[in-house]
Amino acid sequence: MVLKDRKLIREEVTQRLVSGLKTQNLQYDNLFNEEKARLNKDFDLLSLLYHRMFFYKLNEKLSGLVCDHTFRLSEQILTQMQFKRGKINEIIEIFKKNGGHCDCEVIYYVESQLIGNQA
Ligand SMILES: [Zn+2]
């Protein structure tokens, strides 16, 4: 069973972001390609961020905006996820290492390593 109701989807997304608690299945869960994602050295952190809906939320925030070539939106979301400053800096470094040097590149180069077909 996958959630279809927009309001319930939004509630599930917020719950996962803030507390990490998963109670319902989302269509987005099916995009995750574990076999492909495991090829990445930073699998543990990146898959945690994926399942806590970080990339989903970043996509949502970026839609309709032109990226300003900073990590402004990523930092907002990581703060909402209750990560401390030091951990946020560590995560940003991992994004850079994986080719993501701003919010839009985190989607293009980092999330893309976790979803869809084998590269
Ligand atoms: Zn960008």
Side-chain angles (χ1 to χ4, degrees), residues 67-70 102-105:
C67 179
D68 64 4
H69 304 302
T70 67
C102 63
D103 291 326
C104 74
E105 291 187 358

Side-chain angles (χ1 to χ4, degrees), residues 55-95:
F55 299 104
Y56 178 96
K57 191 74 182 177
L58 182 58
N59 261 306
E60 201 178 77
K61 280 184 180 279
L62 268 171
S63 75
L65 290 181
V66 176
C67 179
D68 64 4
H69 304 302
T70 67
F71 289 103
R72 187 172 61 88
L73 300 174
S74 295
E75 290 184 359
Q76 269 177 23
I77 299 166
L78 292 168
T79 302
Q80 188 189 2
M81 293 171 82
Q82 320 281 330
F83 287 116
K84 301 274 184 284
R85 189 69 246 176
K87 185 69 182 176
I88 292 177
N89 291 338
E90 192 185 304
I91 293 170
I92 300 281
E93 286 311 307
I94 288 173
F95 289 161

